[in-house]
Amino acid sequence: EPGCIGGLSDQVIFDRVLNNHREYADQHYEWSFGDAAAGAWAISGKSKDSATGYVTAHVLEQPGQYLVSLLVSDESGTLGSYTVTITVADPDTVYAGNSTICVANGNDFTGCPSGALTVGSTTNVAAVEEHIVSGRRVLFRRGDTFDVTETISGAYAGPLTLGAFGSCATPDAQGICANAPILNGTLVADSMFSTASQGWIDVRFMDLSFVDGSGAAGSALLGPYKMTDVLWLRLRTRGFDTPLGNSHWEHRGHDQVTVAECDAATGRGNIIYIGANRLALLGNSFRDPDDSHVARVWHAPMAVISHNQLSGSSINSDTGRHALKLHTPEESQLADPGPSGLDGRSRYIVFSDNLIGSSGPWPVAIGPQSDHYDERVSDVVVERNRFFPGFGTPSCCSNPVSVALLIWARHVTVRNNIFSGDGSDNGYTGIFVGPRGIEPSPVGTRILNNTFYKSDSGSGTSAVVIGDTASETTIRNNLAHFAPTGTLVSGTGINTTEDHNLVTTDAQLLDPDHVDFLLKDFRPSAGTGAFDQGLAAPVFDDFTGTARPLGGGLDLGAFEMQ
């Protein structure tokens, strides 16, 4: 199982962390999913068929058998290899005959699976609500629009799939069809689809477009009650208060929730408000909420958040929100055995290969939701992300980005990331490490092999700022180019280690100022003094996935060049 630590108790894990043994970060996990036809992620351009990291996830779409393999290694070599065979059933078999229902505005059912029940001349989803039950697949015709005039709420024990049929016109880079069936919400304040009190188990929504037709609808998909084994795949949403989400206010126990390759934008509140015991956010484009955060992850005892674009928080207000707000339950909720309680703190989280844009003044915050909550996030790996404050839609009224990454958490490893200050505030900080409020102060933060850049830096520019009570912080093998001035580290903390870093005032990088943010090139050029100058650290590859080290030692910064 991804993320399993061989049955070790929490106390043993805690003891190992105190002794600087962190299996989730200090060992290299290489995954192959046996899915050669999976293609590449639209955001990062990397293969979907492979991954690295202690926690990962993959969506298998075609029926058949897949050999999934995992290779675990550290600086001494291979520690173990594991394989498992996964069998994916054919949906035409699972939903044979009239277990599949095809729905169309007219009577064109081209592309509908053979033997399916057909429902024609239909413009309202309520007309087929009786078919949205466990054991059914309801497919809406591509190119058609269907009104949702009342909340579709049910308890589904699965399998249940809502999707599309017919030819796909001009799919975008995420595979979302230009003619995806439109589900048009004419509700006011309510959600289009919502869990009933028994929750959803084994449910898929895929290849649909949700539109807030009333301009006042609450959500496209909302899980106030338990969601388990739920997949939201290639969905497009426009409008809504919070297009996608779930909550813990009615029921605990959300588990194995995957949101993949969705395009959600222009919500009034959060674009997605989500939590689950095991959570995967993969390859999504979430952006441009009017008045709140882009993505708010309120509970994640084990999660992978990778290959996403997160940008444009609070674009029409001065509230100053995050592209990602990652927090955890209060300690009092963890002690509550009732339905209002939650199981486990947010920990063992991989945040990788994402593009973080705009969202001033603090794009990513890992830690408590406010300064008066005792919420303890720990054991997070932040790697191979691009923090680009000037990318995406800027807020009309909020301050520009001043701190790209806030670490109000414990045992966080930050490696192989690019922090560009282009488009940020003059007093730009790449990473801040310190407490937010009443939670324990950060301990054991490691900032390794990152690249920081700002070509119009002011006197307050720093790669890293360390709060007075943050302890055991390590800053190593980082490369910073700040002109005309800037510092690598401000603040001393407690027992801080700072070595083998390089700060220059002349940008000896290949093309960091390219007008197109996605074409900026932060690889070091000859003469930077970055090559083979690093000290040994738990960094196994670079920003591109190239194995480290090459040549005589680790290069400084996010790239391994020679």
Side-chain angles (χ1 to χ4, degrees), residues 377-402:
V377 180
S378 68
D379 309 308
V380 181
V381 174
V382 179
E383 60 183 344
R384 299 187 304 271
N385 301 287
R386 290 172 288 177
F387 292 83
F388 287 176
F391 176 81
T393 306
S395 170
C396 69
C397 320
S398 293
N399 293 328
V401 170
S402 59

Side-chain angles (χ1 to χ4, degrees), residues 334-398:
L334 298 177
D336 183 350
S340 296
L342 288 168
D343 302 315
R345 299 171 181 146
S346 295
R347 66 186 306 194
Y348 305 130
I349 300 163
V350 172
F351 181 71
S352 66
D353 300 290
N354 300 288
L355 172 59
I356 312 300
S358 51
S359 304
W362 319 286
V364 176
I366 302 174
Q369 61 182 300
S370 76
D371 60 7
H372 57 276
Y373 286 98
D374 185 4
E375 297 180 340
R376 306 180 186 184
V377 180
S378 68
D379 309 308
V380 181
V381 174
V382 179
E383 60 183 344
R384 299 187 304 271
N385 301 287
R386 290 172 288 177
F387 292 83
F388 287 176
F391 176 81
T393 306
S395 170
C396 69
C397 320
S398 293

Side-chain angles (χ1 to χ4, degrees), residues 41-46 307-311 323 351-358 363-364 382-391 404-405 415-421 428 450-451 516-522 543-544 558-559:
W41 296 109
I43 307 301
S44 67
K46 294 181 179 178
H307 307 285
N308 304 285
Q309 175 192 331
L310 307 172
S311 66
F351 181 71
S352 66
D353 300 290
N354 300 288
L355 172 59
I356 312 300
S358 51
V364 176
V382 179
E383 60 183 344
R384 299 187 304 271
N385 301 287
R386 290 172 288 177
F387 292 83
F388 287 176
F391 176 81
L405 173 61
R415 60 194 180 197
N416 290 325
N417 300 280
I418 298 171
F419 293 87
S420 170
Y428 172 74
N450 301 282
T451 294
D516 185 336
F517 271 90
L518 301 184
L519 296 178
K520 291 179 182 292
D521 193 340
F522 293 89
F543 177 84
T544 66
F559 295 91

Side-chain angles (χ1 to χ4, degrees), residues 155-353:
Y156 310 125
L160 170 66
T161 297
L162 272 71
F165 77 92
S167 298
C168 174
T170 56
D172 65 14
Q174 291 173 282
I176 298 174
C177 306
N179 62 341
I182 295 174
L183 302 189
N184 178 49
T186 60
L187 313 85
V188 175
D190 293 328
S191 303
M192 295 173 68
F193 292 87
S194 177
T195 55
S197 58
Q198 288 77 32
W200 290 349
I201 302 173
D202 193 11
V203 174
R204 285 152 296 282
F205 285 82
M206 52 195 296
D207 298 309
L208 300 169
S209 179
F210 296 90
V211 175
D212 177 12
S214 70
S219 299
L221 299 173
L222 178 68
Y225 296 96
K226 181 169 63 177
M227 300 195 320
T228 303
D229 298 323
V230 169
L231 171 66
W232 296 341
L233 177 65
R234 288 189 300 271
L235 305 178
R236 179 189 293 117
T237 76
R238 293 294 183 270
F240 303 97
D241 288 338
T242 297
L244 303 170
N246 62 17
S247 73
H248 63 274
W249 294 308
E250 303 288 347
H251 207 290
R252 69 198 305 160
H254 299 298
D255 192 20
Q256 297 200 115
V257 174
T258 299
V259 184
E261 298 188 280
C262 295
D263 175 8
T266 65
R268 291 179 289 278
N270 304 291
I271 295 296
I272 184 168
Y273 183 98
I274 198 83
N277 292 333
R278 285 172 287 185
L279 174 68
L281 302 179
L282 302 172
N284 303 286
S285 178
F286 296 145
R287 61 196 186 281
D288 300 347
D290 286 341
D291 193 36
S292 195
H293 312 293
V294 179
R296 181 168 178 174
V297 177
W298 53 267
H299 191 211
M302 189 174 289
V304 54
I305 305 172
S306 297
H307 307 285
N308 304 285
Q309 175 192 331
L310 307 172
S311 66
S313 67
S314 59
I315 61 170
N316 290 316
S317 76
D318 62 357
T319 52
R321 301 301 178 93
H322 308 300
L324 174 67
K325 183 182 183 72
L326 172 58
H327 59 102
T328 195
E330 287 186 84
E331 291 296 291
S332 60
Q333 287 179 290
L334 298 177
D336 183 350
S340 296
L342 288 168
D343 302 315
R345 299 171 181 146
S346 295
R347 66 186 306 194
Y348 305 130
I349 300 163
V350 172
F351 181 71
S352 66
D353 300 290

